Amino acid sequence: MRLFELLLFLSNIGLFALTVLLKKGQRRIPVFVASGIATLLLVIHWTVEGYRVQLLFPYCITIIFLVISGYSYFQKTGPKKIPRVLLGSAYTAIAIMLVATAGLMYAFPVFKLPEPAGEFKVGTQAFHFVDTNREEIFGEARNSKRELMVQVWYPAQAGTGKYTPFIPDTQILRYMAANYGLPGFTLQHLKYVSSHAYSGAEVSPAQTSYPLILANPGFGSSRFLHTSQAEDLASHGYIVAVIDHTYNTFATEFPDGRITTSSTNDLFSPDHDYRTESGNRDKLGKVLTDDVTFTLDQFALIQSGQIPSHLKGKMDLGHVGVFGHSIGGATAYDAAYDPRIAVGIDLDGALYRLRDREGLRKPFLFMNSESEFDRLKKVMDNHTYTEAELKRMGNTREWMDQVTEDKKLELERMRESVDSGGQFLYIENSEHLNFTDVQYISPIFKMLGITGKIAPERANSVINAYMLDFFDRYLKNQGGTLIKGPDSRFPEVKFGTSLL
């Protein structure tokens, strides 16, 4: 909660208390002075912090009190008698508005992202890539070429000026709200949330080059919702490129102002045979994997100077990693078949394109939520879903049988990766969206079960620690202690290799 919006809210409570507690003849001067103070705080808040819709009631209360108290203070006649019923109704309305405001401020805070833990400052830059060799098959832009927005975070020299906003493309915030079933204006306050990266800063000269990590958001997500993970890795000496997979994000804004939205969300529903190459899951998976391959090609061109960028010559393309969340985690696994990619991490994502294909045989870390681990355990225990369970999940028995068959193959692939130096673990009290910055947007998400019981700050620190340890082990030949087994510093991390 920001300072001046909190002071404004408290001043409104003070105004209300003075009006209710003081007798009619004693209110005139104290309420007028308090109204002036509240108005001053409102002006400072709007100027320094910026307005937001969650504080609409305090804005109205402040102005109304200023007008009424000013009129009462400067008029020569005594105050007019207000009917008790009308006065009581006004007091009740103000009390309700203040309680509602407290709830809105709690539910939709202007939060702070965790600071990166590494020694490097962080810079960021967005790239717009067009794949002239691929036709777009999703959305309204079919038969045009596949376009991608890629956000890069990297070790930077000490920056100057302000940090870039958490979500600099503010036009997409209304689509983000709609993605979570909220009115379009609800999340506009996120434009005030700051990242810890400087836009366009020079790359740090502390090292001649830095390993490259490619990252992939999940369904209906965004590259910006992995900011805290990307910043932390960059602060530890990695160049991290997060890909907005066009038409698989809640919204992507391109340099010319075009905005694309998700058109792939229903492809994994029980209405589709998600395994078939001809229709759905694997067809989408191939597009996402090809996005990663294409992006890696573009960074090779940046490295050689064929695409102008201050990242030229700064990437160690002999040490490339990949990670992703949800279907982005599956994309990371599938993309890791590329011989240029050495290692990868899947954050709570079910795999695709596994049939008629040999195992990856590369170090790969599978980091799951407790819920996903429970689902995998049911597969190993040959759990039979009851009709009530199927109804609660909104799935058919045929669908669940298909998923169960694929989960068994996933477990086999996990086992092969663990045998090749990978690991399989889960985080207690976590849910699917704890692996993204969605967990910071509202504490209500925890109450609804969208995120787990684990505190967002703790979930983030645990995830970042294990991601860094794994990438350090295979991309820098250092670290690797956490992935060996249980650690007393992280008691919520449980290793699931016994399941394999």
Side-chain angles (χ1 to χ4, degrees), residues 333-359:
Y333 181 89
D334 199 53
Y337 280 89
D338 189 317
R340 296 173 294 177
I341 296 176
V343 63
I345 299 174
D346 179 351
L347 302 176
D348 214 37
L351 305 183
Y352 57 69
R353 298 215 304 167
L354 295 178
R355 297 180 178 280
D356 304 318
R357 197 174 191 180
E358 293 184 359

Side-chain angles (χ1 to χ4, degrees), residues 137-139 142 219 246-248 262-288 327 399 402:
I137 63 172
F138 298 118
R142 294 182 184 184
F219 265 133
T246 312
Y247 295 110
N248 200 54
S262 175
S263 63
T264 61
N265 283 347
D266 64 339
L267 294 181
F268 281 25
S269 74
D271 298 328
H272 295 84
D273 176 5
Y274 73 179
R275 293 184 315 196
T276 59
E277 186 71 32
S278 60
N280 306 297
R281 183 183 177 94
D282 286 353
K283 180 179 180 180
L284 172 61
K286 185 179 187 307
V287 172
L288 303 185
I327 194 174
W399 166 263
Q402 192 178 40

Side-chain angles (χ1 to χ4, degrees), residues 11 37 58 61 96 99 132 148-149 211 236 241 267 322 325 336 418-419 446 474 476 481:
S11 72
I37 293 172
I61 291 171
I96 291 173
V99 171
T132 58
L148 299 173
M149 291 300 299
H236 286 94
L267 294 181
V322 63
H325 169 246
V418 169
D419 291 342
K446 180 186 292 188
Y474 292 105
K476 292 186 176 181
T481 56

